[in-house]
Amino acid sequence: MSSARTTHQVRDQVRPAAAEWWRQAVVYQIYPRSFADSDGNGLGDLRGVISRIPYLAELGIDAVWLSPFYPSALADGGYDVDDYRDVDPRLGTLADFDEMTTRLHAQRIRVIVDIVPNHTSSRHAWFREALAAPKGSPARSRYIFRDGLGPDGSQPPSDWVSLFGGPAWARVPDGQWYLHLFAPEQPDLNWDNREVRDEFLATLRFWSDRGVDGFRVDVAHGLAKNLAEPLEPIAGIKNHIDGALPPGSHPLWDRNEVHDIYAEWRRVFNEYDPPRAAVAEAWVHPSRRPRYASPDGLGQAFNFELLEANWSAGEFLRVITDNLSDAQRQGSSTTWVLSNHDVVRHATRYGLPTGDRRDHQTARQWLLSGGTSPRLDRGLGLRRARAAILLMLALPGSAYLYQGEELGLHEVHDIPSELVQDPAYARSRGADKGRDGCRVPLPWTADGPSFGFGAGPAHLPQPAWFGPLSVQAQERDPASTLSLYRDALRWRRTLQTAESMEWMPGTNGQVLHFARPGGWRCVTNFGPGPVPLPHGTVILTSVPFEGSAHSRQLPADTTAWLRPGQNG
Ligand code: GLC
């Protein structure tokens, strides 16, 4: 196979060819259009990523995951892919991609790309062919086309709704309807069609041959569908996670047959040395996650439970305990995520008052109010975000970071409605403000055009408060959030050992205290006042605190890393 030479080179350049490098990796998510813009067109690009490799190396990550950089009309921020084997010309070329990969590998940083198999874009050659082809044609059978209901077929085939709001069916000029579980520009593929399956296997090989180390699989729980007529009304199939339906029986989500697809993918991944890794984005009941994370399948699955948990010792304790035991049972390692490109940044979530709601729901409501209600306590949010990341980075398993969290960025809440890009905003008729607030281009310098993101204005407006949070402003400040991330990742490399931990005395409704093999310990105080600091030498604290070594008190909303030694 043509991959042999490439994989050999990759193996030579990257750290020891550990087949399971991903198990405790720190993966940094790059949202390419908002990371760094090398040509001043307002959109981040691959040469922008290349220019920031020294920054990534200094941060101390093991891998980057790039959200889609493929040609796209950006109807859904690039998750509407026109061509799975090319680079959007506004973002660069395949040669740029190769150079980026080679240079990242030279810094021992692995490369994960996003693969979007549930839907193509409506500009994809296949969909254009389907529109030009008649009903019942092979071109249409790559997608999910149906006749409409009613005497003239003018009613959609079912009352299903898109995840971005509005109907999940759109009509084409000859009267047929096609399914789009996301935006109309994202027609769902028909995974019962062999040609669709083969096409994606070829795409996985295409990127693997170029030296890509792994794949993040978008909407991994959506590919297999049961579309036998009559289609079930939405009322009976609203939720696939709450357990109302027998596991695996929802017509659209998390069907058992989806794993046949990933078994084929795994065979391709295992053709490479080291085998290509994959992580599933699967919003499923936790009891169903192990199937996606199976070594015969994708190998790892996102666990979003920390991202959904409130800032509470009890909730973190349950999520950590459950997920570590699940991971152990399934033979994978778990994944920890506090932020990504789809959710309100965690510094903001943790700075909003927790009432009866979940933090992340409160955060969406806050966004809708234009950032006025409830009141955001920026300082508290950041303080907790720093405590949370030290806790997360001390856990066994992979840690996924989202660009900008290392700067302590808050969500941008005041993007004018005419500049909002997320389709969720228009399709929900404003009931959902969308996800642009966490996708605003990064501030690299304290001032200048687009705060050093590019030579001109950025594609989403950046607020004035980005300046003091820029990389430039934080780089030399040992107390900055950026310095905290760098210090934590450096220590983690030294301290990380076997994939296990144990709860220590002192863990209670307010404090979490755990130890890793080798004596590395982490203690977080979620409570409102100081608590006694367990004995040991303080290595790192989420905020500097007065006399940390002497007073032996851990302040509220603070994490400390300890190791055996004097001082108590
Ligand atoms: C995933 C992506 C999200 C995208 C959706 C549709 O959930 O993370 O950004 O909108 O899939 O592709």
PDB file of all heavy atoms in Angstrom, residues 236-268:
ATOM      1  N   GLY A 236     -43.022  10.239  19.638  1.00  0.00           N
ATOM      2  CA  GLY A 236     -42.600   8.962  20.215  1.00  0.00           C
ATOM      3  C   GLY A 236     -41.089   8.792  20.284  1.00  0.00           C
ATOM      4  O   GLY A 236     -40.588   7.868  20.929  1.00  0.00           O
ATOM      5  N   ILE A 237     -40.353   9.675  19.613  1.00  0.00           N
ATOM      6  CA  ILE A 237     -38.901   9.453  19.508  1.00  0.00           C
ATOM      7  C   ILE A 237     -38.113  10.702  19.875  1.00  0.00           C
ATOM      8  O   ILE A 237     -37.026  10.943  19.374  1.00  0.00           O
ATOM      9  CB  ILE A 237     -38.497   9.009  18.081  1.00  0.00           C
ATOM     10  CG1 ILE A 237     -38.976  10.033  17.044  1.00  0.00           C
ATOM     11  CG2 ILE A 237     -39.029   7.626  17.770  1.00  0.00           C
ATOM     12  CD1 ILE A 237     -38.332   9.858  15.691  1.00  0.00           C
ATOM     13  N   LYS A 238     -38.694  11.501  20.762  1.00  0.00           N
ATOM     14  CA  LYS A 238     -38.064  12.793  21.083  1.00  0.00           C
ATOM     15  C   LYS A 238     -36.637  12.636  21.562  1.00  0.00           C
ATOM     16  O   LYS A 238     -35.752  13.379  21.188  1.00  0.00           O
ATOM     17  CB  LYS A 238     -38.886  13.508  22.140  1.00  0.00           C
ATOM     18  CG  LYS A 238     -39.900  14.439  21.523  1.00  0.00           C
ATOM     19  CD  LYS A 238     -40.142  15.660  22.396  1.00  0.00           C
ATOM     20  CE  LYS A 238     -40.834  16.736  21.593  1.00  0.00           C
ATOM     21  NZ  LYS A 238     -42.214  16.915  21.908  1.00  0.00           N
ATOM     22  N   ASN A 239     -36.422  11.678  22.433  1.00  0.00           N
ATOM     23  CA  ASN A 239     -35.134  11.614  23.110  1.00  0.00           C
ATOM     24  C   ASN A 239     -34.551  10.212  23.003  1.00  0.00           C
ATOM     25  O   ASN A 239     -35.255   9.242  23.222  1.00  0.00           O
ATOM     26  CB  ASN A 239     -35.373  11.987  24.577  1.00  0.00           C
ATOM     27  CG  ASN A 239     -34.091  12.287  25.292  1.00  0.00           C
ATOM     28  OD1 ASN A 239     -33.112  11.575  25.117  1.00  0.00           O
ATOM     29  ND2 ASN A 239     -34.091  13.317  26.096  1.00  0.00           N
ATOM     30  N   HIS A 240     -33.289  10.129  22.675  1.00  0.00           N
ATOM     31  CA  HIS A 240     -32.678   8.796  22.593  1.00  0.00           C
ATOM     32  C   HIS A 240     -31.799   8.528  23.806  1.00  0.00           C
ATOM     33  O   HIS A 240     -31.179   7.494  23.905  1.00  0.00           O
ATOM     34  CB  HIS A 240     -31.852   8.661  21.312  1.00  0.00           C
ATOM     35  CG  HIS A 240     -30.643   9.552  21.294  1.00  0.00           C
ATOM     36  ND1 HIS A 240     -30.726  10.901  21.056  1.00  0.00           N
ATOM     37  CD2 HIS A 240     -29.338   9.300  21.504  1.00  0.00           C
ATOM     38  CE1 HIS A 240     -29.522  11.427  21.113  1.00  0.00           C
ATOM     39  NE2 HIS A 240     -28.653  10.480  21.381  1.00  0.00           N
ATOM     40  N   ILE A 241     -31.709   9.488  24.726  1.00  0.00           N
ATOM     41  CA  ILE A 241     -30.770   9.325  25.844  1.00  0.00           C
ATOM     42  C   ILE A 241     -31.491   9.037  27.155  1.00  0.00           C
ATOM     43  O   ILE A 241     -30.936   8.419  28.045  1.00  0.00           O
ATOM     44  CB  ILE A 241     -29.877  10.586  25.981  1.00  0.00           C
ATOM     45  CG1 ILE A 241     -29.096  10.796  24.693  1.00  0.00           C
ATOM     46  CG2 ILE A 241     -28.914  10.453  27.161  1.00  0.00           C
ATOM     47  CD1 ILE A 241     -28.124  11.946  24.702  1.00  0.00           C
ATOM     48  N   ASP A 242     -32.763   9.443  27.265  1.00  0.00           N
ATOM     49  CA  ASP A 242     -33.424   9.363  28.575  1.00  0.00           C
ATOM     50  C   ASP A 242     -33.892   7.962  28.955  1.00  0.00           C
ATOM     51  O   ASP A 242     -34.455   7.766  30.023  1.00  0.00           O
ATOM     52  CB  ASP A 242     -34.588  10.354  28.654  1.00  0.00           C
ATOM     53  CG  ASP A 242     -35.702  10.030  27.649  1.00  0.00           C
ATOM     54  OD1 ASP A 242     -35.596   8.988  26.970  1.00  0.00           O
ATOM     55  OD2 ASP A 242     -36.650  10.821  27.545  1.00  0.00           O
ATOM     56  N   GLY A 243     -33.695   6.996  28.075  1.00  0.00           N
ATOM     57  CA  GLY A 243     -34.038   5.626  28.443  1.00  0.00           C
ATOM     58  C   GLY A 243     -35.504   5.292  28.200  1.00  0.00           C
ATOM     59  O   GLY A 243     -35.959   4.197  28.526  1.00  0.00           O
ATOM     60  N   ALA A 244     -36.275   6.229  27.608  1.00  0.00           N
ATOM     61  CA  ALA A 244     -37.692   5.944  27.364  1.00  0.00           C
ATOM     62  C   ALA A 244     -37.852   4.850  26.302  1.00  0.00           C
ATOM     63  O   ALA A 244     -38.793   4.066  26.337  1.00  0.00           O
ATOM     64  CB  ALA A 244     -38.414   7.212  26.934  1.00  0.00           C
ATOM     65  N   LEU A 245     -36.925   4.791  25.362  1.00  0.00           N
ATOM     66  CA  LEU A 245     -36.987   3.764  24.309  1.00  0.00           C
ATOM     67  C   LEU A 245     -35.970   2.676  24.629  1.00  0.00           C
ATOM     68  O   LEU A 245     -34.913   2.971  25.203  1.00  0.00           O
ATOM     69  CB  LEU A 245     -36.614   4.381  22.962  1.00  0.00           C
ATOM     70  CG  LEU A 245     -37.565   5.427  22.378  1.00  0.00           C
ATOM     71  CD1 LEU A 245     -36.957   6.062  21.143  1.00  0.00           C
ATOM     72  CD2 LEU A 245     -38.900   4.781  22.034  1.00  0.00           C
ATOM     73  N   PRO A 246     -36.250   1.430  24.257  1.00  0.00           N
ATOM     74  CA  PRO A 246     -35.242   0.388  24.487  1.00  0.00           C
ATOM     75  C   PRO A 246     -33.920   0.769  23.803  1.00  0.00           C
ATOM     76  O   PRO A 246     -33.940   1.320  22.701  1.00  0.00           O
ATOM     77  CB  PRO A 246     -35.841  -0.855  23.836  1.00  0.00           C
ATOM     78  CG  PRO A 246     -37.298  -0.560  23.678  1.00  0.00           C
ATOM     79  CD  PRO A 246     -37.461   0.933  23.607  1.00  0.00           C
ATOM     80  N   PRO A 247     -32.774   0.501  24.459  1.00  0.00           N
ATOM     81  CA  PRO A 247     -31.477   0.902  23.895  1.00  0.00           C
ATOM     82  C   PRO A 247     -31.311   0.423  22.458  1.00  0.00           C
ATOM     83  O   PRO A 247     -31.630  -0.727  22.140  1.00  0.00           O
ATOM     84  CB  PRO A 247     -30.457   0.211  24.811  1.00  0.00           C
ATOM     85  CG  PRO A 247     -31.207  -0.153  26.045  1.00  0.00           C
ATOM     86  CD  PRO A 247     -32.656  -0.240  25.705  1.00  0.00           C
ATOM     87  N   GLY A 248     -30.857   1.300  21.605  1.00  0.00           N
ATOM     88  CA  GLY A 248     -30.584   0.922  20.213  1.00  0.00           C
ATOM     89  C   GLY A 248     -31.798   0.941  19.309  1.00  0.00           C
ATOM     90  O   GLY A 248     -31.688   0.618  18.135  1.00  0.00           O
ATOM     91  N   SER A 249     -32.969   1.324  19.835  1.00  0.00           N
ATOM     92  CA  SER A 249     -34.167   1.208  18.998  1.00  0.00           C
ATOM     93  C   SER A 249     -34.630   2.539  18.410  1.00  0.00           C
ATOM     94  O   SER A 249     -35.596   2.583  17.671  1.00  0.00           O
ATOM     95  CB  SER A 249     -35.311   0.594  19.802  1.00  0.00           C
ATOM     96  OG  SER A 249     -35.725   1.528  20.781  1.00  0.00           O
ATOM     97  N   HIS A 250     -33.951   3.632  18.750  1.00  0.00           N
ATOM     98  CA  HIS A 250     -34.339   4.919  18.160  1.00  0.00           C
ATOM     99  C   HIS A 250     -34.043   4.869  16.662  1.00  0.00           C
ATOM    100  O   HIS A 250     -32.991   4.372  16.256  1.00  0.00           O
ATOM    101  CB  HIS A 250     -33.536   6.050  18.828  1.00  0.00           C
ATOM    102  CG  HIS A 250     -34.076   7.410  18.520  1.00  0.00           C
ATOM    103  ND1 HIS A 250     -33.885   8.022  17.307  1.00  0.00           N
ATOM    104  CD2 HIS A 250     -34.814   8.265  19.267  1.00  0.00           C
ATOM    105  CE1 HIS A 250     -34.482   9.209  17.324  1.00  0.00           C
ATOM    106  NE2 HIS A 250     -35.056   9.372  18.509  1.00  0.00           N
ATOM    107  N   PRO A 251     -34.977   5.369  15.815  1.00  0.00           N
ATOM    108  CA  PRO A 251     -34.725   5.226  14.373  1.00  0.00           C
ATOM    109  C   PRO A 251     -33.533   6.043  13.856  1.00  0.00           C
ATOM    110  O   PRO A 251     -32.971   5.702  12.809  1.00  0.00           O
ATOM    111  CB  PRO A 251     -36.031   5.719  13.726  1.00  0.00           C
ATOM    112  CG  PRO A 251     -36.765   6.454  14.789  1.00  0.00           C
ATOM    113  CD  PRO A 251     -36.309   5.912  16.106  1.00  0.00           C
ATOM    114  N   LEU A 252     -33.161   7.097  14.591  1.00  0.00           N
ATOM    115  CA  LEU A 252     -32.137   7.997  14.048  1.00  0.00           C
ATOM    116  C   LEU A 252     -30.803   7.965  14.776  1.00  0.00           C
ATOM    117  O   LEU A 252     -29.773   8.288  14.193  1.00  0.00           O
ATOM    118  CB  LEU A 252     -32.663   9.444  14.064  1.00  0.00           C
ATOM    119  CG  LEU A 252     -33.941   9.697  13.285  1.00  0.00           C
ATOM    120  CD1 LEU A 252     -34.400  11.132  13.463  1.00  0.00           C
ATOM    121  CD2 LEU A 252     -33.732   9.395  11.802  1.00  0.00           C
ATOM    122  N   TRP A 253     -30.804   7.646  16.055  1.00  0.00           N
ATOM    123  CA  TRP A 253     -29.591   7.826  16.845  1.00  0.00           C
ATOM    124  C   TRP A 253     -29.165   6.549  17.547  1.00  0.00           C
ATOM    125  O   TRP A 253     -30.001   5.801  18.050  1.00  0.00           O
ATOM    126  CB  TRP A 253     -29.795   8.911  17.918  1.00  0.00           C
ATOM    127  CG  TRP A 253     -30.237  10.236  17.392  1.00  0.00           C
ATOM    128  CD1 TRP A 253     -31.452  10.823  17.570  1.00  0.00           C
ATOM    129  CD2 TRP A 253     -29.480  11.147  16.583  1.00  0.00           C
ATOM    130  NE1 TRP A 253     -31.494  12.040  16.936  1.00  0.00           N
ATOM    131  CE2 TRP A 253     -30.298  12.263  16.323  1.00  0.00           C
ATOM    132  CE3 TRP A 253     -28.184  11.120  16.050  1.00  0.00           C
ATOM    133  CZ2 TRP A 253     -29.866  13.350  15.550  1.00  0.00           C
ATOM    134  CZ3 TRP A 253     -27.762  12.194  15.288  1.00  0.00           C
ATOM    135  CH2 TRP A 253     -28.589  13.297  15.039  1.00  0.00           C
ATOM    136  N   ASP A 254     -27.866   6.338  17.587  1.00  0.00           N
ATOM    137  CA  ASP A 254     -27.267   5.303  18.427  1.00  0.00           C
ATOM    138  C   ASP A 254     -27.840   3.910  18.172  1.00  0.00           C
ATOM    139  O   ASP A 254     -28.133   3.160  19.095  1.00  0.00           O
ATOM    140  CB  ASP A 254     -27.464   5.702  19.914  1.00  0.00           C
ATOM    141  CG  ASP A 254     -26.645   4.816  20.847  1.00  0.00           C
ATOM    142  OD1 ASP A 254     -25.603   4.294  20.412  1.00  0.00           O
ATOM    143  OD2 ASP A 254     -27.072   4.644  22.007  1.00  0.00           O
ATOM    144  N   ARG A 255     -27.992   3.582  16.925  1.00  0.00           N
ATOM    145  CA  ARG A 255     -28.467   2.229  16.588  1.00  0.00           C
ATOM    146  C   ARG A 255     -27.290   1.256  16.637  1.00  0.00           C
ATOM    147  O   ARG A 255     -26.152   1.610  16.344  1.00  0.00           O
ATOM    148  CB  ARG A 255     -29.119   2.226  15.203  1.00  0.00           C
ATOM    149  CG  ARG A 255     -30.351   3.124  15.153  1.00  0.00           C
ATOM    150  CD  ARG A 255     -31.081   2.957  13.852  1.00  0.00           C
ATOM    151  NE  ARG A 255     -31.556   1.588  13.679  1.00  0.00           N
ATOM    152  CZ  ARG A 255     -32.634   1.070  14.259  1.00  0.00           C
ATOM    153  NH1 ARG A 255     -33.378   1.812  15.062  1.00  0.00           N
ATOM    154  NH2 ARG A 255     -32.984  -0.183  14.040  1.00  0.00           N
ATOM    155  N   ASN A 256     -27.601   0.007  16.943  1.00  0.00           N
ATOM    156  CA  ASN A 256     -26.516  -0.979  17.080  1.00  0.00           C
ATOM    157  C   ASN A 256     -25.731  -1.152  15.775  1.00  0.00           C
ATOM    158  O   ASN A 256     -24.524  -1.366  15.801  1.00  0.00           O
ATOM    159  CB  ASN A 256     -27.083  -2.331  17.511  1.00  0.00           C
ATOM    160  CG  ASN A 256     -27.726  -2.235  18.886  1.00  0.00           C
ATOM    161  OD1 ASN A 256     -27.388  -1.345  19.664  1.00  0.00           O
ATOM    162  ND2 ASN A 256     -28.651  -3.140  19.178  1.00  0.00           N
ATOM    163  N   GLU A 257     -26.422  -1.045  14.648  1.00  0.00           N
ATOM    164  CA  GLU A 257     -25.761  -1.300  13.351  1.00  0.00           C
ATOM    165  C   GLU A 257     -24.635  -0.314  13.054  1.00  0.00           C
ATOM    166  O   GLU A 257     -23.802  -0.563  12.185  1.00  0.00           O
ATOM    167  CB  GLU A 257     -26.743  -1.207  12.169  1.00  0.00           C
ATOM    168  CG  GLU A 257     -27.995  -1.991  12.276  1.00  0.00           C
ATOM    169  CD  GLU A 257     -29.104  -1.162  12.925  1.00  0.00           C
ATOM    170  OE1 GLU A 257     -29.781  -0.391  12.238  1.00  0.00           O
ATOM    171  OE2 GLU A 257     -29.285  -1.326  14.163  1.00  0.00           O
ATOM    172  N   VAL A 258     -24.627   0.827  13.773  1.00  0.00           N
ATOM    173  CA  VAL A 258     -23.591   1.818  13.466  1.00  0.00           C
ATOM    174  C   VAL A 258     -22.199   1.233  13.723  1.00  0.00           C
ATOM    175  O   VAL A 258     -21.210   1.605  13.088  1.00  0.00           O
ATOM    176  CB  VAL A 258     -23.828   3.131  14.280  1.00  0.00           C
ATOM    177  CG1 VAL A 258     -23.350   3.020  15.720  1.00  0.00           C
ATOM    178  CG2 VAL A 258     -23.148   4.306  13.596  1.00  0.00           C
ATOM    179  N   HIS A 259     -22.153   0.243  14.609  1.00  0.00           N
ATOM    180  CA  HIS A 259     -20.841  -0.315  14.962  1.00  0.00           C
ATOM    181  C   HIS A 259     -20.273  -1.211  13.861  1.00  0.00           C
ATOM    182  O   HIS A 259     -19.071  -1.442  13.820  1.00  0.00           O
ATOM    183  CB  HIS A 259     -20.926  -1.002  16.324  1.00  0.00           C
ATOM    184  CG  HIS A 259     -21.336  -0.009  17.383  1.00  0.00           C
ATOM    185  ND1 HIS A 259     -20.502   1.011  17.770  1.00  0.00           N
ATOM    186  CD2 HIS A 259     -22.508   0.172  18.041  1.00  0.00           C
ATOM    187  CE1 HIS A 259     -21.150   1.774  18.649  1.00  0.00           C
ATOM    188  NE2 HIS A 259     -22.364   1.283  18.827  1.00  0.00           N
ATOM    189  N   ASP A 260     -21.127  -1.683  12.954  1.00  0.00           N
ATOM    190  CA  ASP A 260     -20.594  -2.422  11.796  1.00  0.00           C
ATOM    191  C   ASP A 260     -19.739  -1.482  10.944  1.00  0.00           C
ATOM    192  O   ASP A 260     -18.716  -1.877  10.380  1.00  0.00           O
ATOM    193  CB  ASP A 260     -21.726  -2.979  10.923  1.00  0.00           C
ATOM    194  CG  ASP A 260     -22.638  -3.896  11.717  1.00  0.00           C
ATOM    195  OD1 ASP A 260     -22.199  -4.365  12.788  1.00  0.00           O
ATOM    196  OD2 ASP A 260     -23.796  -4.112  11.291  1.00  0.00           O
ATOM    197  N   ILE A 261     -20.195  -0.239  10.871  1.00  0.00           N
ATOM    198  CA  ILE A 261     -19.445   0.760  10.081  1.00  0.00           C
ATOM    199  C   ILE A 261     -18.071   0.975  10.715  1.00  0.00           C
ATOM    200  O   ILE A 261     -17.038   0.952  10.038  1.00  0.00           O
ATOM    201  CB  ILE A 261     -20.227   2.094  10.032  1.00  0.00           C
ATOM    202  CG1 ILE A 261     -21.569   1.889   9.330  1.00  0.00           C
ATOM    203  CG2 ILE A 261     -19.392   3.195   9.373  1.00  0.00           C
ATOM    204  CD1 ILE A 261     -22.535   3.056   9.441  1.00  0.00           C
ATOM    205  N   TYR A 262     -18.053   1.138  12.060  1.00  0.00           N
ATOM    206  CA  TYR A 262     -16.771   1.448  12.711  1.00  0.00           C
ATOM    207  C   TYR A 262     -15.844   0.230  12.763  1.00  0.00           C
ATOM    208  O   TYR A 262     -14.625   0.393  12.831  1.00  0.00           O
ATOM    209  CB  TYR A 262     -17.007   2.072  14.096  1.00  0.00           C
ATOM    210  CG  TYR A 262     -17.793   3.359  13.971  1.00  0.00           C
ATOM    211  CD1 TYR A 262     -18.887   3.637  14.778  1.00  0.00           C
ATOM    212  CD2 TYR A 262     -17.456   4.278  12.972  1.00  0.00           C
ATOM    213  CE1 TYR A 262     -19.619   4.803  14.609  1.00  0.00           C
ATOM    214  CE2 TYR A 262     -18.187   5.435  12.795  1.00  0.00           C
ATOM    215  CZ  TYR A 262     -19.269   5.694  13.614  1.00  0.00           C
ATOM    216  OH  TYR A 262     -19.986   6.841  13.429  1.00  0.00           O
ATOM    217  N   ALA A 263     -16.422  -0.963  12.709  1.00  0.00           N
ATOM    218  CA  ALA A 263     -15.558  -2.157  12.638  1.00  0.00           C
ATOM    219  C   ALA A 263     -14.767  -2.121  11.326  1.00  0.00           C
ATOM    220  O   ALA A 263     -13.574  -2.442  11.289  1.00  0.00           O
ATOM    221  CB  ALA A 263     -16.403  -3.416  12.743  1.00  0.00           C
ATOM    222  N   GLU A 264     -15.415  -1.681  10.255  1.00  0.00           N
ATOM    223  CA  GLU A 264     -14.704  -1.555   8.963  1.00  0.00           C
ATOM    224  C   GLU A 264     -13.637  -0.462   9.043  1.00  0.00           C
ATOM    225  O   GLU A 264     -12.543  -0.610   8.508  1.00  0.00           O
ATOM    226  CB  GLU A 264     -15.690  -1.176   7.854  1.00  0.00           C
ATOM    227  CG  GLU A 264     -16.510  -2.324   7.346  1.00  0.00           C
ATOM    228  CD  GLU A 264     -17.221  -1.970   6.032  1.00  0.00           C
ATOM    229  OE1 GLU A 264     -17.437  -0.782   5.723  1.00  0.00           O
ATOM    230  OE2 GLU A 264     -17.568  -2.912   5.322  1.00  0.00           O
ATOM    231  N   TRP A 265     -13.997   0.626   9.699  1.00  0.00           N
ATOM    232  CA  TRP A 265     -13.024   1.725   9.834  1.00  0.00           C
ATOM    233  C   TRP A 265     -11.810   1.230  10.614  1.00  0.00           C
ATOM    234  O   TRP A 265     -10.679   1.552  10.277  1.00  0.00           O
ATOM    235  CB  TRP A 265     -13.653   2.915  10.568  1.00  0.00           C
ATOM    236  CG  TRP A 265     -14.660   3.683   9.764  1.00  0.00           C
ATOM    237  CD1 TRP A 265     -15.417   3.206   8.728  1.00  0.00           C
ATOM    238  CD2 TRP A 265     -15.026   5.047   9.927  1.00  0.00           C
ATOM    239  NE1 TRP A 265     -16.234   4.193   8.247  1.00  0.00           N
ATOM    240  CE2 TRP A 265     -16.019   5.339   8.967  1.00  0.00           C
ATOM    241  CE3 TRP A 265     -14.636   6.059  10.798  1.00  0.00           C
ATOM    242  CZ2 TRP A 265     -16.607   6.606   8.854  1.00  0.00           C
ATOM    243  CZ3 TRP A 265     -15.221   7.317  10.686  1.00  0.00           C
ATOM    244  CH2 TRP A 265     -16.197   7.578   9.715  1.00  0.00           C
ATOM    245  N   ARG A 266     -12.077   0.476  11.685  1.00  0.00           N
ATOM    246  CA  ARG A 266     -10.970  -0.014  12.525  1.00  0.00           C
ATOM    247  C   ARG A 266     -10.004  -0.857  11.711  1.00  0.00           C
ATOM    248  O   ARG A 266      -8.792  -0.801  11.885  1.00  0.00           O
ATOM    249  CB  ARG A 266     -11.552  -0.768  13.727  1.00  0.00           C
ATOM    250  CG  ARG A 266     -10.571  -1.495  14.620  1.00  0.00           C
ATOM    251  CD  ARG A 266      -9.389  -0.659  15.063  1.00  0.00           C
ATOM    252  NE  ARG A 266      -9.740   0.574  15.777  1.00  0.00           N
ATOM    253  CZ  ARG A 266      -8.863   1.551  16.046  1.00  0.00           C
ATOM    254  NH1 ARG A 266      -7.577   1.446  15.681  1.00  0.00           N
ATOM    255  NH2 ARG A 266      -9.248   2.647  16.664  1.00  0.00           N
ATOM    256  N   ARG A 267     -10.555  -1.660  10.791  1.00  0.00           N
ATOM    257  CA  ARG A 267      -9.663  -2.495   9.976  1.00  0.00           C
ATOM    258  C   ARG A 267      -8.729  -1.594   9.142  1.00  0.00           C
ATOM    259  O   ARG A 267      -7.556  -1.898   8.979  1.00  0.00           O
ATOM    260  CB  ARG A 267     -10.467  -3.461   9.105  1.00  0.00           C
ATOM    261  CG  ARG A 267     -11.062  -4.611   9.943  1.00  0.00           C
ATOM    262  CD  ARG A 267     -11.532  -5.770   9.077  1.00  0.00           C
ATOM    263  NE  ARG A 267     -12.819  -5.517   8.467  1.00  0.00           N
ATOM    264  CZ  ARG A 267     -14.000  -5.687   9.079  1.00  0.00           C
ATOM    265  NH1 ARG A 267     -14.049  -6.134  10.338  1.00  0.00           N
ATOM    266  NH2 ARG A 267     -15.124  -5.439   8.444  1.00  0.00           N
ATOM    267  N   VAL A 268      -9.254  -0.476   8.672  1.00  0.00           N
ATOM    268  CA  VAL A 268      -8.386   0.464   7.925  1.00  0.00           C
ATOM    269  C   VAL A 268      -7.359   1.094   8.881  1.00  0.00           C
ATOM    270  O   VAL A 268      -6.162   1.138   8.583  1.00  0.00           O
ATOM    271  CB  VAL A 268      -9.234   1.557   7.237  1.00  0.00           C
ATOM    272  CG1 VAL A 268      -8.343   2.656   6.660  1.00  0.00           C
ATOM    273  CG2 VAL A 268     -10.093   0.938   6.143  1.00  0.00           C
TER     274      VAL A 268
END
